[in-house]
Amino acid sequence: MKRLVVVGTGPRLYREFMLRRIGERYDVHLVIGRPAEWETPYVRGVSVVPGMTADGIVAAVRDIVARGAADGAFDGAIDGAVDGVMTWAEDHVVGTALAAAAVGLPGPGPDAARACRDKHATRSLLAAHGVPQPQSELVADVAEARAVAEKFGYPVVVKPRAGVASQAVALVRDGEELADHFASAHRLPAAGLGSPDRSVMIEEYLTGPEIAVDSVVRDGRVLPVFVSHKEMGYAPYFEETGHWTRGDDPLLGDPAITRFLAQVHTAIGYATGATHTELKLTDERPKLIEINGRLGGDLLSYLCDSASGVDPGLALAAVSCGDAPDLTRTRALCAGIRFAYPPWHETRVEEIAFDESALPPEAGLAVPLVRPGEVVLLPHKDLMEGRVAFATAAAATRAELSVALDRALAALRCTWSPA
């Protein structure tokens, strides 16, 4: 059994299934910022790094490797060698890449990891390599933003340089809207860039379907694992209200998309790990929205497993240890997730639960995300956390899946009032 260091875990609801699967096949040593809780059954050892700084992560991984070499044991295992280090946590992609490089294990490379965290750096590298993408410029104030927007032509997209989960990203149609949304994007710190930079990006708005491709990368070779399709809402924001994936999606083998993914990863210089690449299928060709140096969130990996039988977490673990991943598809279903939102901008939740007797047979998970007494806000320019529940389902066709998700969310029973 190989020895694997996993950096960070994230929310239990969204990541436990991956850690459990990995723990069944690898001796796992966990690096996290607190004592282990729900993770304990799946790991052999834990290193606590308060604050989870990049330097702290590197030091912890160095120590794990050194102890294994000195003792000939990895937390009780027979062989002391550490074979890989990985993360699926957005906040730790740079620290994990630095740690992998420091101990000579496979990884994306620190520069590539930084480029994935910094959207302006991504744009600059892609431009230097001629990779198709929207026009984009980094601006420091509203006057610069207006000048760029007028040059590109409205509507344009306003986004923070290093935001996550579409927070403070908005589609704006005129100068008045631009000033309002610029302020929100400017308030969001450029987390993970190691500087107080709060710059904002103004980008050309692309039309066409938007998809995401989660891939594992081994020694620079991009291996697409699954395609996910977004359901969007709450314009002018880009709130992802749901996702669906298909086990035998023909886009996985589309030559234009596979060539494009190779171009993007070459431009970034991404060596080994996992990526979540968002792109628009424009009339001309695919164009990059953004690339993230980790697997997608929102239970996308769970949906992939439900639809195809491929476990993206295990695929990431394999390449992180220098091995070929098992991407064998054992089923061809459609799987999806849909989120529920409150009825008012500011809503007080009094009761919330799913009526299990009303759930359709295709339903998988049905989970409230808030508790009675909480006040929930609909998505707006400073907040993208308006979800109150979600349901997943799997079915033979996209149409059957959509009906099943509708029925699953209809089984949510809520008592609430305007706050």
Side-chain angles (χ1 to χ4, degrees):
M1 188 177 284
K2 290 201 168 184
R3 322 317 183 209
L4 178 66
V5 178
V6 175
V7 179
T9 52
R12 179 178 188 176
L13 182 60
Y14 292 96
R15 296 305 194 186
E16 183 176 16
F17 75 98
M18 286 202 293
L19 187 62
R20 180 176 61 249
R21 293 270 187 87
I22 290 170
E24 291 169 353
R25 302 196 186 188
Y26 295 84
D27 280 333
V28 175
H29 190 108
L30 190 61
V31 176
I32 52 175
R34 53 165 173 77
E37 298 166 351
W38 59 266
E39 301 94 347
T40 301
Y42 315 123
V43 303
R44 297 286 295 273
V46 179
S47 295
V48 176
V49 178
M52 288 293 281
T53 63
D55 288 344
I57 292 168
V58 172
V61 173
R62 283 186 184 275
D63 179 63
I64 295 164
V65 171
R67 282 192 285 120
D71 301 340
F74 180 73
D75 296 302
I78 296 172
D79 182 351
V82 176
D83 299 287
V85 56
M86 57 168 274
T87 189
W88 49 62
E90 176 74 25
D91 290 344
H92 307 319
V93 295
V94 174
T96 304
L98 287 165
V103 297
L105 291 172
D111 289 342
R114 292 188 188 99
C116 290
R117 289 288 291 128
D118 182 346
K119 294 177 174 60
H120 178 63
T122 299
R123 293 282 182 236
S124 300
L125 287 168
L126 265 61
H129 286 77
V131 180
Q133 61 180 333
Q135 299 179 85
S136 174
E137 288 194 24
L138 195 63
V139 298
D141 54 41
V142 173
E144 286 185 14
R146 282 189 171 133
V148 172
E150 289 170 6
K151 179 172 68 175
F152 291 167
Y154 288 100
V156 295
V157 176
V158 177
K159 64 168 62 173
R161 182 174 178 175
V164 295
S166 298
Q167 187 175 1
V169 180
L171 181 68
V172 301
R173 301 185 179 277
D174 57 43
E176 184 176 344
E177 290 183 2
L178 181 63
D180 188 31
H181 291 292
F182 177 91
S184 296
H186 195 263
R187 279 193 292 270
L188 194 67
L193 299 187
S195 76
D197 190 335
R198 294 171 181 258
S199 296
V200 174
M201 297 170 66
I202 306 298
E203 297 196 339
E204 172 192 12
Y205 177 62
L206 301 178
T207 58
E210 182 172 340
I211 65 169
V213 183
D214 278 47
S215 306
V216 290
V217 187
R218 185 185 183 208
D219 295 329
R221 183 186 175 203
V222 184
L223 304 169
V225 180
F226 68 97
V227 173
S228 56
H229 303 258
K230 297 182 181 183
E231 297 176 350
M232 308 289 285
Y234 297 96
Y237 312 108
F238 294 86
E239 171 73 358
E240 295 171 0
T241 59
H243 308 269
W244 65 276
T245 187
R246 178 176 162 183
D248 59 350
D249 198 316
L251 293 176
L252 272 174
D254 187 314
I257 291 176
T258 54
R259 283 195 302 268
F260 177 76
L261 290 171
Q263 282 183 291
V264 170
H265 287 76
T266 297
I268 297 295
Y270 199 98
T272 295
T275 58
H276 176 76
T277 307
E278 300 178 359
L279 57 146
K280 277 283 185 80
L281 303 178
T282 72
D283 290 339
E284 301 172 315
R285 53 193 169 177
K287 294 186 178 181
L288 184 82
I289 300 301
E290 65 181 46
I291 179 171
N292 302 281
R294 40 81 184 168
L295 293 169
D298 282 355
L299 284 173
L300 291 181
S301 293
Y302 171 86
L303 299 182
C304 172
D305 185 44
S306 299
S308 68
V310 176
D311 187 323
L314 287 176
L316 171 58
V319 298
S320 297
C321 292
D323 298 329
D326 182 1
L327 302 181
T328 305
R329 300 178 188 281
T330 59
R331 47 185 172 263
L333 300 175
C334 287
I337 185 169
R338 195 167 290 163
F339 296 94
Y341 296 80
W344 300 284
H345 174 70
E346 191 170 352
T347 301
R348 183 178 301 280
V349 179
E350 294 160 9
E351 295 181 9
I352 183 168
F354 278 92
D355 178 356
E356 294 189 6
S357 67
L359 291 170
E362 301 89 348
L365 305 174
V367 183
L369 297 172
V370 296
R371 293 174 293 183
E374 290 189 41
V375 173
V376 186
L377 303 179
L378 284 174
H380 61 280
K381 64 179 181 293
D382 291 318
L383 177 76
M384 300 302 288
E385 295 293 336
R387 298 164 173 176
V388 298
F390 71 77
T392 70
T397 67
R398 169 74 179 115
E400 291 173 354
L401 172 65
S402 186
V403 170
L405 290 171
D406 286 343
R407 290 180 60 194
L409 284 191
L412 183 64
R413 307 289 183 251
C414 297
T415 304
W416 40 27
S417 58

